[in-house]
Amino acid sequence: MYAKEKARYIFDKGFPKIDNFYSDSLSDTPLALCAEKAYLVTDSASKLNDWPEMDQETVDEVKRMIDTGWSVHLD
C-alpha cells in the first residue's frame, strides 16, 4: 500500500486524526501532513527526527497529490 492509499485506508477505518506519525520513508509525506506531529525514523530505526521542513510550494503539491476526498489536518 502506498502513501495516498494508506491515508485513504486509515480514514476508511475511522481514524480521522493522527496525533503522532512515524515513518522511515519520505514517500509517506501525505500521511505526515495528516498528523499533528510527524517523525522520520533513521539509522536502522535508532533515531527519531522531526519530519523535514518543506517549502509552501512542495506542501501544496503534496496536498494536491493526496486526493483522499477527506478534510484532513493540512493547515
Side-chain angles (χ1 to χ4, degrees):
M1 196 176 315
Y2 206 64
K4 74 177 182 179
E5 288 81 15
K6 288 180 187 178
R8 186 180 314 266
Y9 178 83
I10 285 171
F11 288 103
D12 280 347
K13 295 299 179 185
F15 300 99
K17 177 183 165 195
I18 301 170
D19 292 323
N20 294 293
F21 177 75
Y22 302 84
S23 179
D24 63 352
S25 174
L26 289 172
S27 69
D28 285 330
T29 297
L31 287 170
L33 290 175
C34 293
E36 291 292 323
K37 183 68 179 156
Y39 301 93
L40 185 62
V41 181
T42 60
D43 298 328
S44 299
S46 66
K47 185 175 179 186
L48 288 180
N49 309 280
D50 288 339
W51 202 265
E53 291 291 324
M54 292 181 284
D55 60 43
Q56 191 59 47
E57 183 179 337
T58 302
V59 171
D60 291 343
E61 180 61 26
V62 171
K63 286 180 186 180
R64 281 191 292 277
M65 291 171 21
I66 291 174
D67 191 26
T68 60
W70 291 276
S71 176
V72 295
H73 296 290
L74 296 177
D75 295 330

